[in-house]
Amino acid sequence: ITSNDSLLLYLNNTIAVLLELLRKLVDPTDERLEALVRISSAKVKNLSLFTEESEEAEAFRAKLADCGTLYEMCKVLLNTFVESYPSSDEGFIKAFLDRVLEFNTTYGTNVTSFLRWWDEKRGKFFLPEHSSTVDAVKILTMHKAKGLAFKVVFAPFLREEIFRLKGSRWIISS
Protein backbone atom coordinates (compact mmCIF):
# COMPACT_ATOMS: atom_id res chain seq x y z
CA ILE A 1 0.00 0.00 0.00
CA THR A 2 1.44 3.36 -0.94
CA SER A 3 0.56 6.78 0.34
CA ASN A 4 2.50 10.03 0.28
CA ASP A 5 4.12 9.23 3.64
CA SER A 6 5.15 5.73 2.58
CA LEU A 7 7.09 7.26 -0.31
CA LEU A 8 9.19 9.60 1.86
CA LEU A 9 12.83 8.56 1.50
CA TYR A 10 13.81 9.14 5.12
CA LEU A 11 11.09 6.78 6.37
CA ASN A 12 12.58 3.85 4.45
CA ASN A 13 14.50 1.48 6.72
CA THR A 14 17.52 1.01 4.43
CA ILE A 15 17.85 4.78 3.92
CA ALA A 16 17.63 5.31 7.68
CA VAL A 17 20.48 2.81 8.16
CA LEU A 18 22.57 4.49 5.45
CA LEU A 19 22.08 7.90 7.08
CA GLU A 20 23.08 6.52 10.47
CA LEU A 21 26.18 4.98 8.88
CA LEU A 22 27.10 8.46 7.64
CA ARG A 23 26.53 9.86 11.14
CA LYS A 24 28.75 7.07 12.52
CA LEU A 25 31.51 8.20 10.12
CA VAL A 26 31.33 11.70 11.57
CA ASP A 27 31.15 10.48 15.19
CA PRO A 28 32.16 6.83 15.81
CA THR A 29 30.77 7.05 19.36
CA ASP A 30 27.26 7.83 18.08
CA GLU A 31 25.03 4.90 19.06
CA ARG A 32 21.91 5.70 17.01
CA LEU A 33 22.86 3.13 14.36
CA GLU A 34 23.06 0.32 16.91
CA ALA A 35 19.71 1.42 18.38
CA LEU A 36 18.12 1.46 14.91
CA VAL A 37 19.44 -2.03 14.17
CA ARG A 38 18.00 -3.34 17.47
CA ILE A 39 14.50 -1.92 16.90
CA SER A 40 14.19 -2.56 13.17
CA SER A 41 14.55 -5.46 10.80
CA ALA A 42 17.77 -4.01 9.36
CA LYS A 43 20.50 -6.53 8.68
CA VAL A 44 23.81 -4.76 9.28
CA LYS A 45 27.24 -6.38 9.35
CA ASN A 46 30.85 -5.34 10.12
CA LEU A 47 29.98 -2.53 12.58
CA SER A 48 33.22 -3.20 14.41
CA LEU A 49 35.08 -1.62 11.47
CA PHE A 50 34.22 1.78 12.95
CA THR A 51 35.98 1.15 16.26
CA GLU A 52 38.48 -1.69 15.99
CA GLU A 53 42.10 -1.48 14.97
CA SER A 54 42.67 -4.29 12.49
CA GLU A 55 43.90 -4.76 8.94
CA GLU A 56 40.32 -5.08 7.75
CA ALA A 57 39.32 -1.82 9.49
CA GLU A 58 42.38 -0.09 8.01
CA ALA A 59 41.49 -1.36 4.54
CA PHE A 60 37.93 -0.06 5.00
CA ARG A 61 39.17 3.39 6.08
CA ALA A 62 41.56 3.46 3.10
CA LYS A 63 38.71 2.53 0.75
CA LEU A 64 36.61 5.38 2.16
CA ALA A 65 39.52 7.82 1.84
CA ASP A 66 39.86 6.84 -1.84
CA CYS A 67 36.24 7.80 -2.52
CA GLY A 68 36.24 10.92 -4.63
CA THR A 69 32.61 11.76 -3.97
CA LEU A 70 29.99 11.45 -1.27
CA TYR A 71 28.01 9.37 -3.76
CA GLU A 72 30.83 6.78 -3.96
CA MET A 73 31.17 6.84 -0.18
CA CYS A 74 27.47 5.99 0.23
CA LYS A 75 27.83 3.07 -2.17
CA VAL A 76 30.85 1.77 -0.22
CA LEU A 77 28.91 2.08 3.06
CA LEU A 78 25.92 0.26 1.59
CA ASN A 79 28.05 -2.58 0.21
CA THR A 80 30.20 -2.88 3.34
CA PHE A 81 27.59 -2.71 6.08
CA VAL A 82 24.11 -3.50 4.75
CA GLU A 83 23.89 -7.28 4.64
CA SER A 84 20.60 -7.39 2.79
CA TYR A 85 17.56 -5.29 2.09
CA PRO A 86 14.19 -5.97 0.45
CA SER A 87 14.11 -5.64 -3.33
CA SER A 88 11.37 -3.04 -2.86
CA ASP A 89 14.05 -0.74 -1.37
CA GLU A 90 15.95 -0.52 -4.69
CA GLY A 91 13.91 2.49 -5.82
CA PHE A 92 14.41 4.23 -2.48
CA ILE A 93 18.16 3.66 -2.64
CA LYS A 94 18.36 5.00 -6.20
CA ALA A 95 16.29 8.06 -5.27
CA PHE A 96 18.46 8.66 -2.19
CA LEU A 97 21.65 8.37 -4.22
CA ASP A 98 20.16 10.88 -6.67
CA ARG A 99 19.75 13.34 -3.76
CA VAL A 100 23.32 12.60 -2.63
CA LEU A 101 24.56 13.30 -6.17
CA GLU A 102 22.53 16.52 -6.24
CA PHE A 103 24.17 17.65 -2.99
CA ASN A 104 27.58 16.45 -4.14
CA THR A 105 27.37 18.43 -7.38
CA THR A 106 26.16 21.61 -5.71
CA TYR A 107 27.87 21.68 -2.32
CA GLY A 108 30.75 19.20 -2.33
CA THR A 109 31.58 16.05 -0.39
CA ASN A 110 31.49 17.13 3.26
CA VAL A 111 29.54 14.49 5.20
CA THR A 112 28.60 16.82 8.06
CA SER A 113 27.26 19.43 5.63
CA PHE A 114 25.31 16.75 3.79
CA LEU A 115 23.69 15.49 7.02
CA ARG A 116 22.72 19.04 7.99
CA TRP A 117 21.29 19.64 4.49
CA TRP A 118 19.44 16.32 4.58
CA ASP A 119 17.92 17.02 8.01
CA GLU A 120 16.62 20.37 6.76
CA LYS A 121 15.16 19.04 3.51
CA ARG A 122 14.32 15.39 4.18
CA GLY A 123 10.55 15.97 4.21
CA LYS A 124 10.73 17.04 0.55
CA PHE A 125 12.35 13.90 -0.81
CA PHE A 126 9.96 11.25 -2.12
CA LEU A 127 10.26 8.14 -4.20
CA PRO A 128 8.73 9.12 -7.54
CA GLU A 129 5.21 7.67 -7.69
CA HIS A 130 5.69 6.47 -11.24
CA SER A 131 8.55 4.27 -10.11
CA SER A 132 8.27 0.79 -11.55
CA THR A 133 9.98 -0.60 -8.44
CA VAL A 134 6.89 -0.04 -6.32
CA ASP A 135 4.14 -2.56 -7.00
CA ALA A 136 1.46 -1.64 -4.51
CA VAL A 137 -2.09 -0.49 -3.97
CA LYS A 138 -2.32 3.31 -4.11
CA ILE A 139 -4.45 5.12 -1.57
CA LEU A 140 -5.65 8.44 -2.97
CA THR A 141 -8.35 10.94 -2.24
CA MET A 142 -11.14 11.19 -4.81
CA HIS A 143 -9.81 14.65 -5.66
CA LYS A 144 -6.30 13.37 -6.42
CA ALA A 145 -7.54 10.32 -8.34
CA LYS A 146 -9.93 12.36 -10.50
CA GLY A 147 -9.08 11.98 -14.14
CA LEU A 148 -6.56 9.18 -13.65
CA ALA A 149 -7.12 6.04 -15.66
CA PHE A 150 -7.11 3.20 -13.14
CA LYS A 151 -8.46 -0.17 -14.21
CA VAL A 152 -9.94 -0.84 -10.78
CA VAL A 153 -11.01 1.64 -8.11
CA PHE A 154 -12.29 0.73 -4.67
CA ALA A 155 -14.41 3.38 -3.00
CA PRO A 156 -15.16 2.16 0.53
CA PHE A 157 -18.48 3.14 2.06
CA LEU A 158 -19.78 4.42 -1.27
CA ARG A 159 -23.55 4.17 -1.50
CA GLU A 160 -25.35 4.06 -4.83
CA GLU A 161 -27.73 6.88 -3.89
CA ILE A 162 -24.80 9.22 -3.23
CA PHE A 163 -22.79 8.68 -6.40
CA ARG A 164 -24.39 7.84 -9.75
CA LEU A 165 -22.64 7.95 -13.09
CA LYS A 166 -24.29 7.09 -16.38
CA GLY A 167 -22.40 4.68 -18.58
CA SER A 168 -20.03 3.52 -15.83
CA ARG A 169 -19.90 0.03 -14.43
CA TRP A 170 -20.24 0.04 -10.67
CA ILE A 171 -20.35 -2.95 -8.41
CA ILE A 172 -22.01 -1.99 -5.17
CA SER A 173 -21.59 -4.49 -2.35
CA SER A 174 -22.90 -4.29 1.16
Side-chain angles (χ1 to χ4, degrees), residues 2 12 34 38 41 45 49 58 90 94 106 124 135 153 158 160 171:
T2 62
N12 178 270
E34 290 83 351
R38 281 193 302 271
S41 59
K45 60 183 179 180
L49 293 178
E58 264 317 300
E90 289 281 338
K94 288 176 184 175
T106 308
K124 297 178 182 176
D135 185 20
V153 175
L158 181 68
E160 189 174 8
I171 299 173

Side-chain angles (χ1 to χ4, degrees), residues 18 21-22 25 60 63-64 67 69-82 85 90 93-94 96-98 100-101 104:
L18 195 47
L21 285 165
L22 287 168
L25 276 181
F60 164 69
K63 191 173 186 179
L64 274 182
C67 290
T69 65
L70 187 58
Y71 180 87
E72 290 172 14
M73 191 180 297
C74 286
K75 291 183 88 169
V76 166
L77 289 171
L78 189 64
N79 293 331
T80 304
F81 294 103
V82 179
Y85 53 85
E90 289 281 338
I93 293 167
K94 288 176 184 175
F96 175 76
L97 290 174
D98 286 348
V100 170
L101 194 56
N104 213 144

Side-chain angles (χ1 to χ4, degrees), residues 16-149:
V17 167
L18 195 47
L19 286 162
E20 293 309 324
L21 285 165
L22 287 168
R23 290 183 207 287
K24 193 85 167 164
L25 276 181
V26 172
D27 179 9
T29 63
D30 188 322
E31 295 180 351
R32 287 183 280 190
L33 176 60
E34 290 83 351
L36 178 63
V37 169
R38 281 193 302 271
I39 64 170
S40 73
S41 59
K43 292 184 175 46
V44 179
K45 60 183 179 180
N46 301 327
L47 282 181
S48 60
L49 293 178
F50 283 109
T51 55
E52 74 179 19
E53 295 300 323
S54 67
E55 286 182 28
E56 190 178 7
E58 264 317 300
F60 164 69
R61 285 190 272 280
K63 191 173 186 179
L64 274 182
D66 287 345
C67 290
T69 65
L70 187 58
Y71 180 87
E72 290 172 14
M73 191 180 297
C74 286
K75 291 183 88 169
V76 166
L77 289 171
L78 189 64
N79 293 331
T80 304
F81 294 103
V82 179
E83 192 170 318
S84 66
Y85 53 85
S87 61
S88 59
D89 285 2
E90 289 281 338
F92 286 94
I93 293 167
K94 288 176 184 175
F96 175 76
L97 290 174
D98 286 348
R99 299 293 71 79
V100 170
L101 194 56
E102 173 188 327
F103 177 87
N104 213 144
T105 305
T106 308
Y107 303 107
T109 61
N110 185 287
V111 177
T112 305
S113 296
F114 171 76
L115 290 170
R116 195 175 310 115
W117 177 82
W118 177 267
D119 289 340
E120 288 173 8
K121 299 185 179 292
R122 70 183 189 169
K124 297 178 182 176
F125 301 137
F126 292 88
L127 179 70
E129 285 190 54
H130 64 277
S131 174
S132 60
T133 61
V134 176
D135 185 20
V137 173
K138 291 186 179 203
I139 298 177
L140 306 168
T141 63
M142 290 287 281
H143 177 75
K144 188 168 182 174
K146 183 176 81 174
L148 299 177

